[in-house]
Amino acid sequence: SFPFMPKSIKKYAMTLVKAGNLNTKTSGRTKNIWRPLLAGMSGYDLPRLRFGYGSYGVFKTNSFRGGDMFTVSHAHNIYLTTILETGLLGLLVFLGIFIQYVVRFWSLARKTKNSFFALMLRCICISLAMYLIRGFSGGFFLPQLGNTYGWVTIGIGVVITKAEGKETRLAACKQA
């Protein structure tokens, strides 16, 4: 069923699929990280909720300081980590960037006559969507080595968008 995958990984994957408990599926993140952080956010003062705590914001939460959660350097959830570090405004900015590019790339993929560009742009959209889904189990929006692929993917899409624009202008010039 899973070709070329080590037996131990297959066993772990099947355990997660069969588990009916969300905490088991998230390797303890739900109960031991996310719930305490979310509960702690209910007592956030408004400026912190808007702008966050800065780098390693999880260390500055009452949940972390009170020992109510695992001792971790980040929330193991791209959305919670971003809220803690940059606030809700930062999260909205990063989501806006990603969503705007997905919409732009998908739209161009539907319009372009270049089938290679269309295929590449669709692949980029799927990759970015997977990046956003993967964010529920970890990662960061802020650029760093571990998430370079998300930002490089956007860059490749921008290059294709620019190349498509030039190709369209060249075709229009040739017809004129």
Side-chain angles (χ1 to χ4, degrees):
S1 61
F2 300 106
F4 310 113
M5 190 178 287
K7 198 175 203 172
S8 60
I9 301 225
K10 287 181 197 177
K11 183 178 177 185
Y12 180 69
M14 291 313 298
T15 300
L16 293 179
V17 168
K18 291 177 184 175
N21 180 326
L22 183 61
N23 196 51
T24 303
K25 289 182 182 187
T26 63
S27 301
R29 290 178 176 112
T30 306
K31 180 180 176 190
N32 302 305
I33 301 173
W34 301 341
R35 281 188 189 151
L37 284 174
L38 288 171
M41 281 184 191
S42 64
Y44 250 16
D45 58 293
L46 198 53
R48 291 288 179 220
L49 193 55
R50 280 191 214 143
F51 305 112
Y53 282 113
S55 294
Y56 300 104
V58 73
F59 292 146
K60 299 164 188 156
T61 64
N62 291 334
S63 303
F64 182 85
R65 290 179 176 172
D68 300 331
M69 57 179 279
F70 280 163
T71 304
V72 293
S73 62
H74 62 283
H76 292 272
N77 178 304
I78 199 170
Y79 307 102
L80 285 176
T81 297
T82 304
I83 290 171
L84 289 169
E85 293 185 356
T86 65
L88 282 173
L89 293 175
L91 177 63
L92 292 175
V93 166
F94 281 111
L95 282 176
I97 290 168
F98 276 76
I99 291 169
Q100 177 250 336
Y101 277 116
V102 168
V103 169
R104 181 187 298 180
F105 296 156
W106 194 262
S107 175
L108 182 60
R110 294 180 69 208
K111 293 176 188 173
T112 185
K113 292 180 171 118
N114 185 321
S115 61
F116 177 73
F117 285 170
L119 178 64
M120 287 298 295
L121 289 168
R122 284 188 183 101
C123 289
I124 288 169
C125 289
I126 291 167
S127 175
L128 292 175
M130 292 296 102
Y131 180 81
L132 294 174
I133 291 169
R134 178 195 159 274
F136 285 107
S137 66
F140 299 90
F141 273 125
L142 295 170
Q144 47 184 262
L145 190 58
N147 69 357
T148 305
Y149 65 91
W151 294 99
V152 168
T153 302
I154 288 175
I156 292 168
V158 169
V159 168
I160 292 171
T161 302
K162 298 291 183 193
E164 167 59 19
K166 287 180 182 177
E167 192 174 279
T168 302
R169 287 191 300 274
L170 282 173
C173 287
K174 286 180 184 179
Q175 288 177 353

